[in-house]
Amino acid sequence: MQELNHILNKMTELLQQLSGILHTEQMILIENYLVHKLGNIIDEKNQLLIKLKILDEQRIAIGKELHLASPYSDNEPLANQWATIVKSTSLLAQMNRDNGEILQQRLDQTRQTIDFINKSKKTNIYTNGGYQKTETVSTTRAKV
């Protein structure tokens, strides 16, 4: 029973860490600041999700040994802890979906910008040096 309690405590701790990571991810996506760190944030998030999955598998295995299953109705402390985990998981899943929508909007905007640039490429708005191209009336000198 103590081992199951320890696993639930560890899951709660990891969910709190995940909350911080998702919040940081959301701030980066909204503010478009420190975008270069987004890959690291996503890696950290994935590592936490893997750890949570492993802990959940351990929780299920120990629960089978002890003949206990979620929502742990027969044990009030475990039931309360499990309810907190379920609520946190639901809130974090929604936050992750929101981050996904923000990211999709960014990708759509980037695609539109690339399409515009590609369409405008034909008219050569900028030179290879990045300067605006000036109109050339003629490339040959006029003879006087």
Side-chain angles (χ1 to χ4, degrees), residues 33-125:
Y33 180 70
L34 299 174
V35 177
H36 63 283
K37 292 188 176 187
L38 192 57
N40 293 338
I41 296 291
I42 291 171
D43 288 342
E44 286 180 47
K45 178 175 68 171
N46 288 336
Q47 289 174 5
L48 280 177
L49 291 172
I50 290 168
K51 288 178 184 178
L52 280 166
K53 182 177 187 222
I54 291 168
L55 284 173
D56 195 45
E57 290 169 354
Q58 291 174 353
R59 175 193 65 81
I60 291 169
I62 292 171
K64 285 181 181 178
E65 289 175 14
L66 299 173
H67 303 290
L68 290 170
S70 60
Y72 309 111
S73 304
D74 298 336
N75 187 315
E76 189 175 338
L78 290 179
N80 291 336
Q81 202 169 10
W82 183 249
T84 301
I85 289 171
V86 169
K87 183 178 179 183
S88 294
T89 303
S90 176
L91 292 172
L92 293 175
Q94 182 59 49
M95 188 177 211
N96 195 42
R97 282 189 294 275
D98 292 344
N99 288 357
E101 288 176 14
I102 294 168
L103 185 58
Q104 187 60 51
Q105 289 171 356
R106 282 287 164 87
L107 289 172
D108 291 344
Q109 289 173 344
T110 302
R111 253 187 237 109
Q112 290 172 358
T113 303
I114 289 171
D115 290 345
F116 174 78
I117 290 171
N118 286 336
K119 200 183 300 180
S120 300
K121 235 181 188 179
K122 297 172 187 168
T123 59
N124 290 329
I125 295 175

Side-chain angles (χ1 to χ4, degrees), residues 126-139:
Y126 295 100
T127 63
N128 289 340
Y131 297 102
Q132 243 182 341
K133 192 171 185 177
T134 57
E135 287 189 34
T136 305
V137 176
S138 174
T139 57

